[in-house]
Amino acid sequence: MPSNRRVLFLSLRPEFADLILSGEKTVELRKRRPDVEQNDVVILYAASPTKSILGVARVQGVAQGTVKKIWREFGLETGISKSEYESYFVASTDATAIKLAKMKRLAQPLHLESIRKILDGFSPPQSYRYLTQQQGRALVAI
C-alpha cells in the first residue's frame, strides 16, 4: 500500500463482523462511499455489545450505483436479505458496495479499553473513520 493511503476503521454489527471474517459475507454496504482503493486495509470493529476489533481485511474493489443495481450485482454477498437491504436504503437512490478479501481474524479481540490505551481518547465511529497507517499498525498487524 502506498505510504499516503489511510486505513479504514469500519464499525459493524457484531454478527456482520463475524460473517465477514468467516468469508460468508464479502461485501459491506454503505450509503456513502468511503475514500478507499484496492488493497487498502480495513479494520473490522464489532460495535456494541462486543466493542472490539475482531480482524482485518483488504479492499478488493468498490462499486457504486443505484440501489437496485448494487443489489443485482452483490446481493448474495451482503449477508442480508433483500427486505433488510431495501429497509437500509429506503431513503437512498444510490448505494456503495465495498468488496472485501483476505479476511483475517485476530488471535485475540482488541477491546475498546485497549484501543483507547493505544490511541488516546479514541471514539469508535457509527459508520467508519480513517486512521493513519501508523495508527492502524499500532492496533493490528497490517
Side-chain angles (χ1 to χ4, degrees), residues 5-26:
R5 294 302 305 161
R6 297 176 289 185
V7 173
L8 185 66
F9 188 98
L10 206 55
S11 287
L12 304 156
R13 293 197 331 221
E15 61 269 27
F16 292 149
D18 284 331
L19 284 173
I20 289 169
L21 290 165
S22 74
E24 293 176 60
K25 175 179 168 67
T26 57

Side-chain angles (χ1 to χ4, degrees), residues 31 67 80-92:
K31 293 176 184 171
V67 171
I80 60 174
S81 69
K82 188 171 184 191
S83 62
E84 289 171 307
Y85 178 85
E86 289 171 345
S87 177
Y88 178 68
F89 286 108
V90 69
S92 303

